[in-house]
Amino acid sequence: MVTERKMRIGELAERVGVSPRSLRYYEQQGLMSPARDVNGHREYDEVALDRARNIKDLIAAGLTTEDVLLYLSAGCLEHRLTDSPRCSAELDAAQRRLAGLEDRIARLLQIRDRLVQHSAELQDAIVAQYPGPVSGRAASGEATHSTTH
């Protein structure tokens, strides 16, 4: 019988390309649940290596840990996501996150348009208030006073 080699958190972190703190964060979020040795140290196997790599890649792609939990509950994290067969939960999570981003971008563009309009109105008001060349100080609302004798 062959025993699977176990890794400690530092080795797993190095192999995945994340910090040990990231792995502990994944654990806090319910994405990983390492075994513990007799001294209480975390122990990881090769499945945990694939899972941690998948989590890292999904977060780098713009998904949240909440999204990644959907992958976990569908059993999609136990092998490399780039291997076939792909998991339908992947598409669902990606499309939902993308739709959310599109909505957020649209709202931000509306805010930007309103701010552009407001800025133009402010500039027009300041130009009317300070006829002549508008300096940076006058445009910012600071009055420029000059006295001539």
Side-chain angles (χ1 to χ4, degrees), residues 23-65:
L23 293 173
R24 287 189 293 273
Y25 176 73
Y26 299 165
E27 185 179 348
Q28 289 170 348
Q29 298 302 304
L31 297 170
M32 299 192 71
S33 51
R36 301 283 181 149
D37 68 12
V38 294
N39 295 322
H41 297 116
R42 291 170 176 86
E43 290 185 323
Y44 300 92
D45 57 17
E46 292 298 318
V47 172
L49 176 63
D50 286 340
R51 182 182 286 190
R53 284 178 174 157
N54 289 336
I55 294 167
K56 174 191 169 199
D57 292 347
L58 293 169
I59 289 172
L63 297 175
T64 66
T65 56

Side-chain angles (χ1 to χ4, degrees), residues 58-141:
L58 293 169
I59 289 172
L63 297 175
T64 66
T65 56
E66 184 178 302
D67 297 325
V68 178
L69 279 170
L70 298 173
Y71 284 63
L72 178 63
S73 65
C76 301
L77 296 179
E78 306 313 311
H79 65 280
R80 291 295 291 159
L81 292 175
T82 54
D83 296 344
S84 291
R86 298 302 291 253
C87 192
S88 64
E90 292 181 71
L91 182 58
D92 296 341
Q95 287 179 336
R96 187 173 42 262
R97 179 60 48 202
L98 187 57
L101 284 174
E102 294 292 345
D103 182 53
R104 202 160 149 204
I105 289 168
R107 287 192 320 263
L108 287 171
L109 287 172
Q110 290 173 349
I111 292 168
R112 181 190 173 277
D113 290 346
R114 288 192 306 265
L115 188 55
V116 165
Q117 179 64 36
H118 178 69
S119 179
E121 290 169 1
L122 284 172
Q123 185 172 0
D124 291 346
I126 289 171
V127 167
Q129 187 176 356
Y130 301 101
V134 178
S135 71
R137 284 178 30 173
S140 68

